[in-house]
């Protein structure tokens, strides 16, 4: 058996930043530190941080008055900030800067009188946070059918914002429908670099293997999109939390196995899959290299603007 690894894969800069924020907050403020929602969508990451003293909650109101709370990488609506302020919480914002950019776009276009169409998956934390930036001007479009039925106040003043972890190809189709309906639409390309790179890599990978295994959480949008993108090439593709979820039947008669992982998946889980397969060789199919790093929140930086040494080491991306 030969294993081909997708590259880039695994942690993106936003995930590295979010995990570092929790670990540094625990060092600086001591346990417990409260985290609203899963800091990133991966059970192994969450369990590791929980063992270090992080307490995961669903709403800011669950944190004791005056305690430290961290908002997850997915971002939150302004009402969540207000709830935290009412409880005098020490807020540390781990929202991915690329999600924050989408929030700023929403506010800008709302001020300018645009109808805002948010292209994304209903119920996803990132989408909830983006819709909450300008709730009176925003609506969700989840698929092409929604795009055909969307109603706006002025067809000439419409903007489309996108969830950062969507399928590039599926989003292109939805935006195409919206352009057909609203020719003057402003279509923002908000899908992040890491999502795009990992989908490009899995497309290339899928052309060279008999089966694709995506390592990542079942509730992770970017991991699910990777599996879908691989499957659309015609290759059997599976999403697994870790090596224990692999069905040996998937590998029967397969000589070339492709493995990749989502932006919230630790590399150790990929290594666990390789150890299980015991291949004769391992190669990497790399479409690009990443070298991105985001600044930490001011509460967690060193003296001046200097950042403490980052401790979350990742492969093929930022450190």
């Amino acid at each position: 058996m030969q294993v081909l690894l997708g590259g880039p894969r695994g942690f993106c800069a936003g995930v590295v930043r979010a995990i570092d924020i929790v670990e540094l907050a625990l060092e600086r403020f001591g346990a417990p530190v409260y985290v609203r929602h899963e800091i990133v969508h991966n059970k192994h990451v969450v369990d590791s941080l929980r063992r270090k003293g992080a307490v995961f909650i669903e709403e800011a109101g669950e944190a004791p008055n005056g305690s430290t709370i961290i908002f997850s990488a997915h971002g939150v609506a302004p009402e969540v900030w207000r709830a935290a302020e009412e409880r005098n919480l020490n807020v540390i914002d781990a929202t991915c800067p690329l999600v924050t950019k989408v929030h700023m776009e929403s506010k800008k276009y709302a001020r300018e009188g645009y109808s805002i169409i948010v292209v994304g998956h209903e119920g996803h934390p990132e989408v909830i946070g983006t819709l909450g930036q300008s709730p009176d001007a925003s609506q969700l479009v989840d698929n092409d059918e929604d795009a055909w039925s969307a109603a706006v106040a002025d067809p000439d003043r419409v903007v489309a914002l996108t969830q950062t972890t969507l399928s590039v190809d599926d989003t292109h189709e939805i935006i195409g429908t919206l352009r057909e309906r609203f020719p003057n639409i402003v279509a923002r390309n908000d899908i992040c670099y890491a999502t795009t790179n990992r989908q490009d890599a899995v497309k290339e990978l899928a052309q060279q293997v008999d089966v694709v295994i995506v390592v990542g959480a079942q509730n992770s949008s970017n991991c699910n999109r990777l599996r879908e993108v691989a499957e659309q090439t015609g290759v059997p593709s599976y999403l697994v939390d870790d090596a224990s979820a692999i069905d040996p039947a998937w590998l029967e008669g397969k000589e070339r196995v492709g493995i990749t992982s989502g932006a919230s998946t630790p590399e150790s889980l990929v290594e666990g899959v390789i150890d299980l397969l015991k291949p004769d060789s391992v190669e990497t199919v790399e479409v690009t290299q990443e070298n991105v790093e985001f600044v930490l929140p001011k509460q967690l930086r060193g003296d001046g603007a200097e950042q403490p040494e980052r401790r979350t080491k990742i492969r093929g991306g930022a450190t």
Side-chain angles (χ1 to χ4, degrees):
M1 178 186 291
Q2 180 183 17
V3 161
L4 298 183
L5 299 174
R9 65 180 178 279
F11 283 174
C12 65
V15 167
V16 170
R17 177 178 182 268
I19 297 172
D20 279 348
I21 284 172
V22 178
E23 293 185 337
L24 288 167
L26 286 165
E27 291 178 8
R28 181 157 301 188
F29 302 108
V33 165
Y34 295 84
V35 184
R36 183 186 181 275
H37 194 70
E38 294 184 347
I39 187 68
V40 297
H41 281 158
N42 188 277
K43 179 180 182 296
H44 295 270
V45 171
V46 170
D47 287 347
S48 173
L49 295 174
R50 184 179 285 118
R51 289 191 293 269
K52 296 176 182 179
V55 177
F56 291 88
I57 58 178
E58 287 304 310
E59 297 300 338
E62 299 175 44
N65 286 350
S67 59
T68 295
I69 187 171
I70 298 172
F71 294 156
S72 78
H74 310 99
V76 300
E79 63 188 39
V80 178
W81 280 92
R82 289 192 290 269
E85 291 168 358
E86 290 172 0
R87 300 184 69 83
N88 194 32
L89 301 179
N90 173 31
V91 177
I92 303 176
D93 189 9
T95 301
C96 175
L98 300 180
V99 175
T100 299
K101 178 179 75 72
V102 181
H103 290 182
M104 294 173 66
E105 291 171 349
S106 173
K107 295 173 182 176
K108 169 185 179 294
Y109 284 104
R111 288 195 302 267
E112 296 175 0
Y114 278 74
S115 294
I116 301 168
I117 293 176
V118 178
V119 181
H121 295 302
E122 185 174 6
H124 190 279
E126 181 186 328
V127 170
I128 293 171
T130 299
L131 289 170
Q133 303 305 310
S134 310
D136 294 337
S138 302
Q139 62 182 298
L140 175 65
V141 164
D142 197 332
N143 49 50
D144 202 48
E145 183 179 347
D146 289 348
W148 282 112
S149 61
V152 300
D154 182 352
D156 291 324
R157 295 185 74 78
V158 182
V159 61
L161 310 179
T162 57
Q163 181 181 335
T164 61
T165 55
L166 295 180
S167 161
V168 175
D169 293 337
D170 290 349
T171 305
H172 180 75
E173 180 180 356
I174 292 172
I175 295 297
T177 297
L178 291 172
R179 284 192 188 281
E180 187 171 343
R181 294 197 59 213
F182 314 116
N184 294 324
I185 191 172
V186 177
R188 304 292 302 180
N189 180 16
D190 297 312
I191 297 177
C192 81
Y193 78 95
T195 297
T196 301
N197 288 346
R198 281 151 188 73
Q199 290 181 17
D200 286 346
V202 82
K203 286 180 185 177
E204 181 66 27
L205 180 70
Q207 295 176 20
Q208 303 182 39
V209 298
D210 305 312
V211 61
V212 170
I213 296 174
V214 179
V215 186
Q218 301 297 318
N219 64 336
S220 166
S221 175
N222 76 85
C223 291
N224 277 283
R225 302 296 81 73
L226 283 175
R227 187 200 62 76
E228 291 172 359
V229 168
E231 191 173 64
Q232 286 168 3
T233 68
V235 176
S237 304
Y238 305 94
L239 173 60
V240 299
D241 290 321
D242 52 39
S244 67
I246 293 177
D247 184 344
W250 300 342
L251 306 176
E252 290 180 4
K254 305 296 193 296
E255 296 181 357
R256 295 166 67 86
V257 178
I259 303 174
T260 190
S261 57
S264 50
T265 305
E267 181 67 7
S268 60
L269 300 183
V270 173
E271 294 169 354
V273 172
I274 296 172
D275 290 343
L276 174 72
L277 299 184
K278 296 180 173 58
D280 297 309
S281 65
V282 179
E283 298 178 13
T284 298
V285 177
E286 191 164 58
V287 299
T288 189
Q289 293 186 344
E290 295 174 350
N291 185 22
V292 179
E293 182 174 321
F294 293 133
V295 175
L296 291 166
K298 60 183 179 181
Q299 302 104 308
L300 300 176
R301 297 179 207 167
D303 294 335
E306 184 180 348
Q307 299 195 85
E309 182 180 356
R310 307 298 283 275
R311 72 284 316 283
T312 310
K313 303 301 182 182
I314 65 174
R315 183 202 176 286
T319 59

